[in-house]
Amino acid sequence: MTTVFLLITAVLTALIAGLFYAYSCSVVLGLGKLSDTEYLKSMQSINREILNPVFFMSFMGTAVLLPVTTFLFRGESSVFIFLLLASAAYLIGVFGVTIVGNVPLNDMLDKFDISSSTVEAIKQMRESFENRWNLLNTVRTIFSVISIVLVICACIWRKELP
């Protein structure tokens, strides 16, 4: 049963790392080329649409399964350490950064009424949102990749144990 937990945890962690990686190296770049109004409307739409069951299952599932799987492997010291580090990286660098950084920015943007705002207000909103949001997303990307690398190490180490 512990192997099943480890595999599901690895898949969910990889899905989240892939989401943030793909976003960082494609979506952010494409959105950056849009006008201020197009950018803000696009980000509002993306931020609303990502709040769906599939995303929550992988994002929240990883936040739950990493610590649970870590606990299940508490008797296998090397595997436990890899999973503990993966859990810390995910919970602090991905989940924590999202909750403390990206979500408040998304909420601020969601409340912004583009259609009744001036060109200057739209420009200011983009300036106060885009660079900070992208930096936080880069942090999430790095930590999600670190998390999956550590989970993979746990899988490899587990396979090599007698």
Side-chain angles (χ1 to χ4, degrees):
M1 190 61 160
T2 56
T3 301
V4 171
F5 270 89
L6 183 57
L7 290 174
I8 293 170
T9 300
V11 168
L12 290 179
T13 307
L15 288 171
I16 288 298
L19 171 81
F20 290 130
Y21 172 76
Y23 203 90
S24 289
C25 66
S26 62
V27 176
V28 166
L29 300 175
L31 290 174
K33 298 195 182 321
L34 298 176
S35 71
D36 294 340
T37 300
E38 292 170 324
Y39 173 84
L40 294 177
K41 284 182 179 181
S42 296
M43 283 302 293
Q44 281 180 336
S45 180
I46 290 168
N47 290 337
R48 290 172 184 151
E49 293 304 315
I50 201 161
L51 301 176
N52 65 69
V54 174
F55 172 75
F56 280 124
M57 182 184 71
S58 54
F59 184 71
M60 300 299 283
T62 304
V64 170
L65 279 178
L66 269 169
V68 167
T69 305
T70 302
F71 177 78
L72 292 174
F73 283 92
R74 67 194 176 283
E76 298 180 32
S77 62
S78 297
V79 175
F80 174 79
I81 295 298
F82 283 127
L83 292 173
L84 183 63
L85 292 171
S87 295
Y90 186 84
L91 292 173
I92 295 166
V94 180
F95 191 81
V97 167
T98 300
I99 299 305
V100 173
N102 293 89
V103 169
L105 286 171
N106 293 348
D107 290 344
M108 175 186 74
L109 180 59
D110 192 54
K111 293 174 186 162
F112 185 71
D113 184 5
I114 297 168
S115 63
S116 66
S117 295
T118 65
V119 171
E120 185 57 35
I122 290 169
K123 179 181 166 109
Q124 285 179 341
M125 174 56 79
R126 181 175 185 168
E127 288 173 358
S128 65
F129 179 86
E130 184 177 23
N131 289 336
R132 181 157 169 76
W133 196 96
N134 287 346
L135 173 64
L136 293 170
N137 192 65
T138 299
V139 170
R140 297 188 302 183
T141 302
I142 291 166
F143 277 92
S144 62
V145 170
I146 289 168
S147 295
I148 188 55
V149 167
L150 290 165
V151 172
I152 291 168
C153 288
C155 292
I156 292 168
W157 196 271
R158 175 107 200 285
K159 186 174 179 341
E160 292 180 358
L161 290 176

